[in-house]
């Protein structure tokens, strides 16, 4: 007794093949869905962290953090010398 008889009963296996194919396609759909969800999550994380990096760099360029500012202005240099 093969596996087709268990699934399809008195049919010649065509229905069992169809059931197996539909089960496979359903599994593939969930696999692709989980891949897409993972990639969307990864892209979302990348967008958030890119925003954090750009924000930190922007704050540094605004002069609030002299470590990030590549070329301090004359005013910034004078203020640092007074401290």
């Amino acid at each position: 007794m093969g596996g087709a008889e268990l699934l399809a009963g008195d049919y010649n296996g065509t229905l069992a093949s169809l059931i197996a194919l539909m089960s496979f396609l359903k599994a593939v759909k969930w696999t692709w869905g989980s891949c897409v969800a993972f990639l969307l999550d990864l892209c979302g994380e990348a967008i958030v962290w890119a925003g954090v990096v750009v924000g930190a760099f922007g704050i540094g360029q605004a002069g609030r953090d002299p470590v990030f500012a590549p070329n301090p202005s004359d005013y910034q240099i004078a203020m640092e010398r007074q401290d």
Side-chain angles (χ1 to χ4, degrees), residues 2-17 19:
E5 288 90 12
L6 292 175
L7 290 175
D10 292 331
Y11 295 102
N12 62 4
T14 306
L15 183 61
S17 299
I19 290 170

Side-chain angles (χ1 to χ4, degrees), residues 3 11-12 17 23 25 29 37-38 46 55 57 66 69 74 79-80:
Y11 295 102
N12 62 4
S17 299
S23 297
L25 292 176
K29 181 182 77 169
F38 174 74
F57 186 74
D74 293 337
M79 292 302 293
E80 287 179 10

Side-chain angles (χ1 to χ4, degrees), residues 34-53:
S34 62
C35 289
V36 169
F38 174 74
L39 290 175
L40 287 176
D41 185 49
L42 190 66
C43 289
E45 291 284 332
I47 290 169
V48 167
W49 281 110
V52 169
V53 169

